[in-house]
Amino acid sequence: PEAPVCLDVVVDGAVVVQTLASRYRADLARAGLGSGRHGFAVRLPALPGGAGVLEVRRSADAALLGRVRPAAAA
């Protein structure tokens, strides 16, 4: 769908940021993924040193879209 999608950024099970996926990305447009307006950017708050898992979930139904374990700060 072409509608913007609300996303939750979740750290260790707690929502820390919500954002709207509506930014243009040329690579998505070239790949034929709609208009390419599905990108997003967020600034995360300072995370505790032991933050374990960062997830991106669709706000409407909590569907998991991605998961990473942040690298420890050097």
Side-chain angles (χ1 to χ4, degrees):
E2 289 299 308
V5 175
C6 186
L7 303 175
D8 296 333
V9 178
V10 180
V11 176
D12 291 337
V15 175
V16 295
V17 175
Q18 280 192 319
T19 191
L20 195 61
S22 61
R23 287 183 160 200
Y24 179 74
R25 283 185 38 190
D27 61 323
L28 296 177
R30 280 192 304 275
L33 298 173
S35 66
R37 294 199 172 277
H38 309 296
F40 67 96
V42 296
R43 281 191 187 262
L44 293 175
L47 300 175
V53 178
L54 185 143
E55 298 174 335
V56 176
R57 295 184 170 272
R58 193 170 42 222
S59 299
D61 60 3
L64 179 64
L65 304 177
R67 176 183 288 149
V68 297
R69 284 193 179 277

